[in-house]
Amino acid sequence: MVKSELVRALNEKLPELQIRDVELALNCIVGQMVNALVKGDRIEIRGFGSFDLHRRPPRLARNPKTGAAVNLPAKVVTHF
């Protein structure tokens, strides 16, 4: 499901709301989730799941086409 499908589904369940209001509310919720993850907080939505950040250390990888070594930097990824 993409965001536009979620907005449409929420609008069908709440027909008294304008579609732009549903989209604005969804954007606010997603924005708050992004801000929490940027701060390093963990997000838990009971009955749905949780979002957390995983830190991956730098590593040496290989280009599958040439076999050449490639240095990959450390990175932070979102984990559901």
Side-chain angles (χ1 to χ4, degrees):
M1 176 179 278
V2 293
K3 191 163 94 172
S4 60
E5 292 172 343
L6 181 57
V7 168
R8 216 176 7 253
L10 288 170
N11 191 284
E12 288 173 6
K13 289 199 178 239
L14 303 166
E16 65 275 5
L17 296 177
Q18 298 277 332
I19 196 159
R20 67 175 184 258
D21 294 335
V22 173
E23 189 170 9
L24 178 63
L26 184 60
N27 286 338
C28 288
I29 292 169
V30 170
Q32 289 298 316
M33 292 173 72
V34 168
N35 291 339
L37 288 172
V38 166
K39 290 190 321 188
D41 295 339
R42 181 176 183 269
I43 300 169
E44 180 181 342
I45 302 172
R46 301 231 169 116
F48 179 70
S50 61
F51 298 89
D52 202 0
L53 296 178
H54 283 205
R55 284 152 182 74
R56 293 191 180 161
R59 65 185 179 97
L60 184 65
R62 297 255 173 224
N63 180 335
K65 190 171 187 177
T66 64
V70 179
N71 286 320
L72 295 179
K75 64 181 177 177
V76 179
V77 294
T78 305
H79 178 74
F80 176 73

